[in-house]
Amino acid sequence: MCSLQCNGPLETGQHLCLLCPFAQVVWHQVLSWERLDLPQETNPANYVCISDWWETTAKMVHKNQRRDFNGLVIYIMWNLWKKRNRRIFENKLLSMQQVAERIKEDLVQYRAAFNNAAS
């Protein structure tokens, strides 16, 4: 059973990272902050696995935004995984907004470090 609070189907990587309603709200919030709209045909439910979805979607994202998109995918999935583990191993519950805020903090730190390294 899904451990992200949806009480949905068997927890798979694809469900946890892309299909769970909890994950979808987090994705929507972060993509909204980043002003990044994904094409309609990249609906995760249409793909067999995460890598198929990611590769196809990355190719549809404008070349100038691809690096940012790939970073978002990594940070969103990583934070969803950490949220899952906190719930299972520490019995800590985070809201969708809290998970999205943690992703935002990670992105700010990453960009600050990357911009300082480029200087």
Side-chain angles (χ1 to χ4, degrees):
M1 183 176 286
C2 178
S3 59
L4 285 181
Q5 297 168 308
C6 82
N7 297 321
L10 181 65
E11 183 182 82
T12 64
Q14 186 174 12
H15 177 81
L16 178 75
C17 294
L18 297 171
L19 301 175
C20 177
F22 184 99
Q24 290 178 346
V25 170
V26 171
W27 274 95
H28 178 73
Q29 180 64 59
V30 174
L31 292 174
S32 174
W33 285 334
E34 295 295 314
R35 294 184 179 97
L36 184 62
D37 292 322
L38 299 182
Q40 188 68 26
E41 55 270 13
T42 63
N43 180 345
N46 297 335
Y47 296 87
V48 176
C49 64
I50 292 172
S51 62
D52 288 347
W53 171 83
W54 191 349
E55 289 175 26
T56 302
T57 305
K59 289 175 186 173
M60 292 182 185
V61 171
H62 191 276
K63 195 173 188 177
N64 294 344
Q65 292 181 307
R66 204 165 290 154
R67 181 182 187 135
D68 289 339
F69 169 74
N70 286 327
L72 285 175
V73 171
I74 292 166
Y75 281 113
I76 291 170
M77 290 186 187
W78 174 241
N79 276 278
L80 289 168
W81 179 253
K82 291 192 308 184
K83 189 266 188 250
R84 172 207 179 268
N85 289 344
R86 276 189 207 93
R87 181 164 187 198
I88 292 173
F89 299 115
E90 299 172 19
N91 202 28
K92 291 183 181 177
L93 299 177
L94 295 178
S95 70
M96 297 168 200
Q97 187 65 31
Q98 288 171 311
V99 174
E101 287 289 338
R102 287 180 182 221
I103 294 165
K104 190 175 186 179
E105 290 169 14
D106 285 350
L107 290 169
V108 167
Q109 290 177 5
Y110 167 79
R111 289 176 179 145
F114 185 74
N115 288 337
N116 287 338
S119 302

